Amino acid sequence: MLCGSVAALLALTGGTAHAVDNLPPNQPLAKDLQSGSKGCGTGEDTAYVPTAPRLSAVLYDPEEDNQPSESSPLSAEFEAWWTDATGTEQRRTYTTITLSSGSRFDWTMPSDLPANTPVSWHVRADDGEALSPWSDEGDATVCSFVIDDTNPEKATITSPEYPTPDEQFWVDGVGVYGHFTIDSPSDDVVSYTYGFLGGPYDTVSAPQPGAPVTLTYLPISSGPKWLTVRAIDRSGRSSSQTQYDFDVKSGRGPVAHWKLADAVGSRTAAAETGTAARAGTGVTFGAPAPSGTGATATAALDGSGHGFLTPDAPAADIRETFAVSAWARPAEAGRTMTVASQDTDGGPGFTLGLRNRDESPVWSFAIGDARVSGGAPETGEWAHLLGLYDAETGRAHLYVNGHEVGTAVQATPAEAAGAFQVGRSRGANGYRDRWHGEVGDVQVHDRVVVPAEVAELALRRPELLGHWSLETATEGASPEQSGGTPLTLGGTASIHRGPDGSCLPEIDPDCPWTPYALVGDGHLTLDGETGYATTGGPLVDTSDSFTVGVVVRLAESQPTRPMTVLSQAGEHTDAFKVRYEPSAHAWQLVMPEKDEAGAPEKVVSQITGADGGEGQGHRLAVVYDDATDTIKLYADGWTHAGATATLADGWQSEGPLQVGRAKVGDGWGEYLRGDVDEVHAFSGALKDRDISALGSGTEPCLCS
């Protein structure tokens, strides 16, 4: 039998004996101690708190004492002390309830503790039989805190770029960085919370207590703005709010701008801003401009040593922020070609253009050794390019057709005091990488062109090609709303007219009942056998962005074969068709990748039940966006991922728009049985917000 302070229990289990001695709890560690939400520290690391804090400690028994049948609960003994105003030391103690090992033990300090006085504290654990060392014994440190009961003073704000309206109204402007210095008279301020109107909102730390900080802000829209700030001291107390008002102008225009819409035969490109550019003999003015833009003409460069334009002077200081942009249409894509550059000694300070690596052309913007690339140039296809160097961040960005592409890169520009170039870039032995194709509307800005402005520069507004309301038909032709090409009715197609209002069947039993039209006063009725309508010639350029819309109601509730409502054919197949596929219970957009019988097809669907001649039908729309290589099918104003696909290259069909049938083999088929109304066709891709207006009897806004 064993006796004394150690009790031994021998339990023979499988031949193993377990002996247990009670060990003192572990010494509390500084990492497990807190004054409120702040860690344990003293001296320069003393915790500053706004009110009397809750002290806490996580306490542990040794592992040997933590077996389930052997562990003892712990309590915490806290002790705090300070020197009062008379120089007398004051002490307070507190013992907690018992909790299991690994628990957090708390002591909420009394509210009568003095402010602005260092209070020290330590803690130890008690398991009922033994005490741990105090947390500050040996090489450990005591914990300290100071109660700060005074809020910091309000922050002050100044900005050299954006003074307040009291100093100056309407300051330039969008795309120009502003620097706002925030300070506080209080020397214990460690951070500032701030928010600009519309964002960003954040907290910034001072480099040292009481030091000012400077915020960098880029306005992305014009109008009255404000910045609100609160100073936060080391205890977490906040000052009252300071508001700084300032007014931002619209972004200033380009420092150099050549529309390149000069008269045929000109040898000089007039400058809207900046210096006129002389044109080499390989430049021909009067070339086509991208549709849907403000451009009326462009310049064609032949890719030779004479195909260039230059003002013989720099357009921008590329060591500072600048942006260069242009519309470009390459006549080839198999080699590297420059749209715009600016000379340095023996090379370009920057280049914007097409880069071909391993037969994979990409758009590219390069500054020095840094390059950002993205997008997919296509021969004969317009693209709007914008390269931006942001000196504030040191990063180069590339935008193609209004969207940022690639990954922005850090760039170190050289001093490029040489001439600005269109259509070539400088090399060690002269100019190279000459542009072959069209270029238009070249602009250079000396500021950040913000994303909304980039999108506006690249915007190609859709243009209405035709709107057929199908209200009437004269001599087999239903007129276009604006006097354009009519839809010619073929086979048994006819116009159904709704009630004229001369009598009401509900009141007059002799008044015949006449079904209402889908939209307005009339619609096209097709019998599914020979009825159709056609424009007689090509309507939309299916190789470029286009939109078509229609309202359709199927006569059958359970159709047994595919039926097409809209199509436009090439020589061997349809460039697109919108058909109802009964096996999928869906309207489908079908776009073959080539004008070949049996060519691979892109098919997207909108699941929709057949109408059975009832209701108002469905408003369908097709959008092909050549800039993003995307096709979409909308039903009643909505689309989704399953109704969207990628189509890299649309091809141009030479056939007319067909209503109610599709090309099948060497003839026509998939005749639609049902009613059709409100046919729209546009060059360009309508935005989602404009689609909802199609089929409503009104025209979409086509707003930017």
Side-chain angles (χ1 to χ4, degrees):
M1 179 176 183
L2 299 177
C3 60
S5 62
V6 178
L9 174 63
L10 297 178
L12 298 178
T13 305
T16 302
H18 298 271
V20 177
D21 296 334
N22 181 65
L23 300 175
N26 295 339
Q27 181 180 12
L29 300 178
K31 70 180 183 65
D32 295 324
L33 311 181
Q34 288 185 323
S35 300
S37 62
K38 299 184 177 181
C40 175
T42 192
E44 293 184 356
D45 296 325
T46 294
Y48 283 78
V49 293
T51 58
R54 172 179 292 182
L55 309 183
S56 68
V58 180
L59 304 180
Y60 296 93
D61 228 5
E63 289 293 331
E64 296 86 344
D65 280 2
N66 281 336
Q67 302 302 320
S69 62
E70 302 156 359
S71 62
S72 299
L74 301 176
S75 62
E77 182 181 339
F78 289 91
E79 184 176 48
W81 63 96
W82 66 92
T83 301
D84 65 18
T86 66
T88 303
E89 182 179 84
Q90 302 290 333
R91 283 186 178 264
R92 302 280 177 89
T93 60
Y94 176 76
T95 300
T96 69
I97 61 173
T98 57
L99 298 171
S100 61
S101 174
S103 299
R104 182 170 290 277
F105 298 78
D106 299 310
W107 177 22
T108 300
M109 299 295 289
S111 59
D112 62 349
L113 293 180
N116 304 310
T117 300
V119 177
S120 300
W121 66 276
H122 56 193
V123 64
R124 62 184 176 183
D126 184 354
D127 68 2
E129 296 185 31
L131 296 169
S132 75
W134 285 105
S135 58
D136 58 345
E137 286 187 30
D139 295 332
T141 183
V142 72
C143 301
S144 300
F145 65 85
V146 173
I147 298 173
D148 182 352
D149 63 352
T150 304
N151 292 337
E153 295 189 47
K154 290 179 63 174
T156 61
I157 307 173
T158 57
S159 173
E161 296 90 357
Y162 291 99
T164 66
D166 293 337
E167 301 170 273
Q168 182 180 349
F169 279 112
W170 300 110
V171 182
D172 190 23
V174 170
V176 175
Y177 279 98
H179 300 87
F180 296 79
T181 298
I182 305 171
D183 201 357
S184 172
S186 300
D187 60 6
D188 61 346
V189 168
V190 295
S191 64
Y192 299 89
T193 60
Y194 69 89
F196 287 92
L197 175 63
Y201 310 93
D202 208 345
T203 298
V204 60
S205 297
Q208 60 190 39
V213 298
T214 298
L215 304 176
T216 301
Y217 170 70
L218 180 67
I220 60 173
S221 63
S222 61
K225 309 288 182 184
W226 62 76
L227 165 63
T228 56
V229 174
R230 292 180 183 271
I232 310 298
D233 68 16
R234 56 192 171 184
S235 73
R237 285 186 173 272
S238 171
S239 71
S240 57
Q241 180 173 283
T242 301
Q243 179 166 313
Y244 183 91
D245 298 298
F246 57 103
D247 298 322
V248 178
K249 286 183 181 179
S250 297
R252 61 176 177 255
V255 293
H257 184 191
W258 301 273
K259 289 185 175 180
L260 302 185
D262 303 86
V264 176
S266 297
R267 295 271 56 90
T268 302
E272 302 297 305
T273 308
T275 305
R278 63 182 175 90
T281 56
V283 176
T284 302
F285 292 104
S291 62
T293 68
T296 57
T298 60
L301 282 61
D302 65 5
S304 73
H306 302 288
F308 69 91
L309 299 105
T310 179
D312 294 312
D317 181 352
I318 70 168
R319 296 167 300 179
E320 304 296 334
T321 295
F322 76 95
V324 56
S325 63
W327 281 101
R329 181 166 69 169
E332 56 180 300
R335 64 181 179 87
T336 297
M337 300 191 296
T338 299
V339 173
S341 69
Q342 189 160 299
D343 296 346
T344 57
D345 291 337
F350 75 84
T351 58
L352 176 68
L354 184 156
R355 181 174 173 83
N356 192 292
R357 277 286 186 91
D358 302 323
E359 302 303 318
S360 298
V362 292
W363 295 114
S364 172
F365 179 53
I367 298 178
D369 296 329
R371 182 182 302 276
V372 55
S373 301
E378 295 180 26
T379 299
E381 181 176 304
W382 283 107
H384 186 269
L385 311 177
L386 185 142
L388 167 66
Y389 172 65
D390 186 336
E392 191 76 29
T393 64
R395 299 177 77 82
H397 304 255
L398 174 63
Y399 294 82
V400 177
N401 293 320
H403 302 278
E404 187 167 7
V405 298
T407 301
V409 295
Q410 288 295 129
T412 304
E415 182 174 351
F420 183 81
Q421 305 289 338
V422 175
R424 64 183 184 179
S425 61
R426 190 165 185 171
N429 298 310
Y431 291 101
R432 64 186 185 188
D433 300 337
R434 301 173 190 278
W435 181 259
H436 183 200
E438 287 83 33
V439 179
D441 199 36
V442 178
Q443 300 190 35
V444 181
H445 288 78
D446 64 348
R447 62 175 178 87
V448 173
V449 179
V450 301
E453 295 174 315
V454 178
E456 181 67 22
L457 287 172
L459 179 64
R460 298 181 67 178
R461 288 178 174 80
E463 297 178 357
L464 181 65
L465 300 175
H467 173 199
W468 295 269
S469 60
L470 300 169
E471 306 275 327
T472 61
T474 303
E475 297 182 353
S478 187
E480 195 276 325
Q481 291 284 81
S482 301
T485 302
L487 274 174
T488 300
L489 277 57
T492 55
S494 63
I495 297 295
H496 166 77
R497 294 283 297 174
D500 60 11
S502 59
C503 63
L504 297 175
E506 307 89 68
I507 300 175
D508 184 356
D510 295 324
C511 181
W513 181 80
T514 303
Y516 284 93
L518 288 177
V519 181
D521 297 327
H523 62 234
L524 178 67
T525 296
L526 303 173
D527 64 358
E529 296 180 1
T530 63
Y532 69 94
T534 180
T535 55
L539 181 64
V540 296
D541 180 356
T542 53
S543 67
D544 203 350
S545 299
F546 70 88
T547 303
V548 292
V550 67
V551 179
V552 58
R553 178 175 62 193
L554 296 176
E556 302 172 48
S557 59
Q558 294 182 333
T560 58
R561 59 178 178 83
M563 291 185 284
T564 293
V565 63
L566 292 178
S567 67
Q568 187 166 304
E571 183 179 356
H572 303 288
T573 188
D574 292 308
F576 77 89
K577 65 179 175 182
V578 182
R579 72 180 180 196
Y580 190 80
E581 176 51 67
S583 64
H585 304 286
W587 283 103
Q588 295 180 336
L589 167 62
V590 182
M591 294 190 72
E593 296 179 7
K594 298 179 181 179
D595 188 8
E596 297 175 359
E601 296 175 333
K602 295 288 187 178
V603 181
V604 296
S605 302
Q606 289 271 15
I607 295 176
T608 308
D611 305 291
E614 302 292 332
Q616 296 303 304
H618 294 284
R619 295 179 293 114
L620 306 179
V622 170
V623 175
Y624 170 49
D625 189 342
D626 190 34
T628 60
D629 293 334
T630 303
I631 60 173
K632 295 181 181 181
L633 176 63
Y634 292 79
D636 299 317
W638 299 98
T639 190
H640 54 81
T644 303
T646 298
L647 182 68
D649 294 300
W651 50 272
Q652 187 168 0
S653 66
E654 299 298 334
L657 179 73
Q658 303 285 339
V659 180
R661 67 179 184 177
K663 193 172 185 66
V664 176
D666 295 329
W668 300 99
E670 297 188 1
Y671 283 88
L672 182 129
R673 182 170 175 233
D675 304 315
V676 179
D677 210 346
E678 289 295 309
V679 177
H680 280 90
F682 300 85
S683 64
L686 262 64
K687 297 184 181 299
D688 290 352
R689 64 173 179 266
D690 296 322
I691 292 294
S692 60
L694 296 182
S696 65
T698 61
E699 301 295 353
C701 172
L702 304 185
C703 305
S704 60

